[in-house]
Amino acid sequence: MAAYSAPPSEVLLSKRVQEMVLHGEEPLGPYICRSGEDNDGKEDIMDTSPIPIIDLNLLSSSTTSDNEREQELEKLRSALSSWGCFQGIGHGIQTSFLDKIRQVSREFFKQPMEEKNKYAKSVDDFQGYGADPVPEQGQSLDWSDRLFLEVFPEDRRKYNPWPQIPISFREVLEDYSEKMKMVTEITSKAMAKSLKLDENCFLEQFGKQAQLHARFNYYSPCQRPDLILGLKPHADGTGYSIILQDEVGLQVLEDGKWYTVPKDPTALFVLMGDQMEVMSNGIFKGLVHRVVSNSERDRISVAMFYTPELGKEIGPEDDLVNMDRPRIYKKVTDYAETHWKFYQRCLRALHTAHI
Ligand code: OGA
Ligand code: NI
């Protein structure tokens, strides 16, 4: 993603939603997303119960019995091949620490615009505070503001867009990033084992210089949640993504219906990006998801995007290609860049990886 080519400079950055809300400006036009084709009549289900829950501790701990581990691995395989996501518990990170990262995120967005704008990104920047550039005619904007930062590989970490207030921000994010790296190791190994593959195969595809990007999302309250989305439907261009939320709002598309991801302050929500679908030769599903807006509450989330090393070719694992399951995807390099070009036009890029 870092090698992404900048849009032409006449493309304007959109306004900060938080500032518009503060000034009592709530323009509808460019934000309307839910009527018409974006919603395409898919049913909105508020029932959160069916979203799979996976206990990562059962997958990684040496004290788990073989039987228990096998059962949880099977649950994982089934979750990722039907839903493409799971609510992860037993990840070993204290809830008090998860509360800390939620809190520094809230504190950052709570500050006056002048303070946040010190970290504003220009149209050409990828890192920093802001939102996507104003899209081409006819595409809608999201009712959210963001702070996007690269955290791994460490030598690509540039601290100037990292907030200095709250003062603990840097330390908390560094700590969180280390913990997320551990979660990606456990998850990548478990995913491989669930498919009866060598446990390191996905980690090797991601590479030693695998990328981890943090995106702090702030969803302001919105007077027209019936028309406006916090984040439009999309699949991530990542390998996979790990989302921490405070309030409900995230929904996933499964079998033509939108399901709300439950609020669980102890959980990390893991969702497959397009590149995991490629590496698993289509067994795991890159998940379409969106964020609905809410007229009463604001919401924050921290999304960690785990993506293969820059310039590294990835593709379906050889052992997942056979007579019954022919190769569906070709090898791709820097798919996240292709993803981004399509994303800006509200399109999915996965077809570009099809054979
Ligand atoms: C994203 C995303 C979900 C959320 O940032 O790509 O899907 O809950 N975020 O904010
Ligand atoms: Ni996403």
Side-chain angles (χ1 to χ4, degrees):
M1 263 203 207
Y4 118 104
S5 58
S9 48
E10 64 270 17
V11 176
L12 295 173
L13 278 177
S14 54
K15 288 204 214 174
R16 298 289 62 74
V17 171
Q18 218 181 340
E19 189 170 37
M20 295 193 295
V21 172
L22 213 64
H23 296 157
E25 258 179 79
E26 296 215 9
L28 284 173
Y31 292 89
I32 292 182
C33 182
R34 299 197 65 178
S35 55
E37 71 188 292
D38 278 318
N39 212 27
D40 52 21
K42 294 187 182 83
E43 221 180 314
D44 210 352
I45 308 261
M46 293 311 281
D47 180 9
T48 58
S49 54
I51 299 211
I53 299 173
I54 298 291
D55 186 341
L56 293 171
N57 186 45
L58 290 179
L59 299 173
S60 57
S61 156
S62 52
T63 56
T64 313
S65 72
D66 288 350
N67 205 358
E68 265 180 317
R69 188 177 307 114
E70 283 310 315
Q71 269 179 21
E72 203 65 10
L73 284 172
E74 175 48 28
K75 239 170 96 183
L76 177 69
R77 193 201 53 76
S78 150
L80 297 183
S81 26
S82 52
W83 289 79
C85 65
F86 63 88
Q87 182 85 304
I89 59 168
H91 43 66
I93 305 170
Q94 299 274 325
T95 308
S96 58
F97 183 72
L98 297 180
D99 288 339
K100 238 190 221 171
I101 182 104
R102 279 187 277 254
Q103 194 192 337
V104 293
S105 316
R106 279 205 168 266
E107 278 174 24
F108 171 73
F109 287 107
K110 211 169 64 190
Q111 296 176 96
M113 289 310 298
E114 308 86 83
E115 186 56 38
K116 286 178 290 200
N117 277 332
K118 290 183 185 162
Y119 311 100
K121 68 188 185 80
S122 71
V123 177
D124 307 327
D125 292 329
F126 211 55
Q127 292 197 77
Y129 172 63
D132 296 337
V134 173
E136 288 166 33
Q137 195 82 41
Q139 286 150 17
S140 58
L141 290 168
D142 300 322
W143 199 255
S144 58
D145 299 315
R146 306 174 189 139
L147 173 68
F148 189 92
L149 301 170
E150 293 184 24
V151 296
F152 284 120
E154 235 173 312
D155 58 10
R156 290 187 59 88
R157 213 180 269 179
K158 300 278 180 305
Y159 284 108
N160 13 330
W162 288 46
Q164 291 181 1
I165 303 175
I167 34 178
S168 57
F169 186 95
R170 175 169 163 170
E171 192 190 319
V172 174
L173 179 56
E174 284 178 338
D175 200 355
Y176 190 63
S177 305
E178 288 296 337
K179 290 182 160 71
M180 287 303 104
K181 210 173 182 181
M182 276 167 33
V183 172
T184 60
E185 266 167 43
I186 296 170
T187 308
S188 301
K189 283 185 181 178
M191 291 194 301
K193 283 194 277 191
S194 80
L195 296 171
K196 313 269 183 258
L197 301 171
D198 169 56
E199 67 170 8
N200 291 315
C201 69
F202 292 133
L203 284 173
E204 278 160 19
Q205 291 224 45
F206 276 95
K208 287 210 164 32
Q209 302 296 311
Q211 307 172 76
L212 196 63
H213 297 159
R215 180 153 108 172
F216 297 81
N217 296 298
Y218 181 78
Y219 300 95
S220 294
C222 174
Q223 293 318 307
R224 295 301 303 267
D226 55 329
L227 296 177
I228 292 174
L229 287 169
L231 184 54
K232 50 184 157 301
H234 67 285
D236 289 356
T238 54
Y240 55 97
S241 313
I242 305 175
I243 293 167
L244 178 74
Q245 58 173 358
D246 64 352
E247 291 294 338
V248 288
L250 176 59
Q251 295 187 330
V252 300
L253 186 63
E254 160 64 10
D255 203 13
K257 299 187 187 91
W258 289 107
Y259 290 85
T260 300
V261 176
K263 171 175 166 172
D264 177 351
T266 69
L268 294 168
F269 185 70
V270 178
L271 69 89
M272 296 299 102
D274 285 348
Q275 300 198 57
M276 240 7 267
E277 176 156 342
V278 171
M279 288 188 247
S280 67
N281 198 27
I283 297 178
F284 293 163
K285 293 283 169 316
L287 174 75
V288 175
H289 52 291
R290 70 178 187 186
V291 176
V292 291
S293 53
N294 187 296
S295 58
E296 273 137 50
R297 281 192 305 260
D298 61 357
R299 172 178 184 266
I300 58 116
S301 71
V302 183
M304 297 299 270
F305 298 126
Y306 183 54
T307 311
E309 176 178 318
L310 272 179
K312 193 160 187 321
E313 189 179 70
I314 60 125
E317 280 297 323
D318 287 339
D319 290 345
L320 299 177
V321 178
N322 51 46
M323 295 279 274
D324 298 334
R325 177 171 278 277
R327 186 179 296 275
I328 311 178
Y329 293 109
K330 40 186 185 201
K331 293 186 171 164
V332 292
T333 307
D334 293 336
Y335 172 84
E337 231 181 286
T338 316
H339 166 84
W340 177 242
K341 288 191 193 122
F342 279 83
Y343 177 83
Q344 286 182 304
R345 290 184 278 136
C346 289
L347 299 171
R348 202 163 169 194
L350 194 57
H351 67 276
T352 64
H354 269 123
I355 279 201

